[in-house]
Amino acid sequence: MNSGEYDFWLLDLDGTLIDVEQQYIYDVMNTVGRRFGVSFSEFEAEQLWYGPSHSRATVLGRHGLQPEPFWNAFHDIESPERRAAASHLYPDTEPFVKSVDAPVGLVTHCQEFLTGPVLENLGIDGWFDTIVCCTDETGWKPDPAPVKLAIDQLGVSGQGVLIGDDPSDVGAAWNAGLAGIHIQRRNPNRVGQCVRGDRRVDTLTELRECHA
């Protein structure tokens, strides 16, 4: 693919290039919930997994939970092997990534102990020129710091773009001076928000067609 006006591409991972089985989401969120003596509906579990920060805060607040201990428990419970086995590529991911004729990097909130096994299990660990997993040290999107770290690791300049399914992805792109493309993988009514970006697409195929 001719990369058009973009000199490099940064991509979110979960919800953008890959996803997990719904049952895995329900099982993990309710395993975490049981540590705090609460249970979540399927809708609430999806809000916690996919929703923007305010939707997640609403669900946690409804159950009297504080975000930090909840997410610490979440990361403690998740198993790299189980997450990898439950993950799958979106059908448009491989043709899109392999067609980009420019440096490509990942900037993901998925933690390193999960990201490596997931990418390896899906056979895509060699697709990216750099991978940045957000941490308290690197910063969390929409903080531009992890995006800038990825740019530094790519050793690129010029106009770049970040594609993601969450408002924090677009925010991180804008805060770092990049274009932000929102990919709308799920019904915004189900997620709880319609995301504004420089462009919105439903599939990565639309971007291939645009730059072909």
Side-chain angles (χ1 to χ4, degrees):
M1 179 176 70
N2 185 333
S3 296
E5 69 268 36
Y6 301 124
D7 299 298
F8 59 93
W9 296 69
L10 297 178
L11 309 171
D12 175 53
L13 182 61
D14 292 307
T16 299
L17 304 181
I18 70 172
D19 215 327
V20 295
E21 298 170 2
Q22 293 297 105
Q23 191 58 50
Y24 178 83
I25 294 172
Y26 306 146
D27 290 346
V28 168
M29 288 304 179
N30 276 298
T31 299
V32 178
R34 282 195 292 273
R35 285 198 173 188
F36 301 94
V38 304
S39 62
F40 302 111
S41 68
E42 291 187 355
F43 179 75
E44 287 177 323
E46 290 178 31
Q47 288 284 293
L48 290 169
W49 191 274
Y50 295 117
S53 57
H54 72 269
S55 296
R56 291 171 169 172
T58 297
V59 173
L60 295 179
R62 185 182 302 136
H63 292 278
L65 302 176
Q66 294 298 314
E68 185 172 356
F70 178 84
W71 293 113
N72 285 341
F74 172 82
H75 290 307
D76 183 49
I77 283 169
E78 276 220 280
S79 156
E81 294 78 15
R82 287 188 61 219
R83 169 73 87 93
S87 298
H88 60 84
L89 286 172
Y90 283 110
D92 55 352
T93 294
E94 181 171 4
F96 171 76
V97 175
K98 290 191 173 181
S99 68
V100 175
D101 184 21
V104 180
L106 280 182
V107 182
T108 175
H109 279 184
C110 186
Q111 295 300 278
E112 187 174 357
F113 80 99
L114 296 171
T115 300
V118 167
L119 296 182
E120 183 177 359
N121 186 65
L122 294 173
I124 64 174
D125 45 324
W127 285 9
F128 309 102
D129 300 301
T130 192
I131 299 171
V132 172
C133 296
C134 296
T135 65
D136 290 340
E137 290 71 32
T138 63
W140 301 85
K141 297 175 289 185
D143 186 334
V147 176
K148 292 180 177 179
L149 176 60
I151 294 171
D152 288 344
Q153 291 179 352
L154 287 175
V156 293
S157 59
Q159 180 59 53
V161 61
L162 192 156
I163 305 171
D165 68 307
D166 192 89
S168 67
D169 297 311
V170 176
W174 288 348
N175 290 337
L178 308 184
I181 297 178
H182 173 239
I183 183 162
Q184 187 168 276
R185 294 291 196 184
R186 289 164 295 281
N187 186 325
N189 294 323
R190 187 75 175 173
V191 174
Q193 181 167 322
C194 184
V195 180
R196 174 174 171 260
D198 292 298
R199 183 177 178 190
R200 180 183 299 123
V201 296
D202 292 320
T203 68
L204 295 171
T205 304
E206 295 174 54
L207 296 174
R208 292 186 67 208
E209 294 170 349
C210 175
H211 293 291

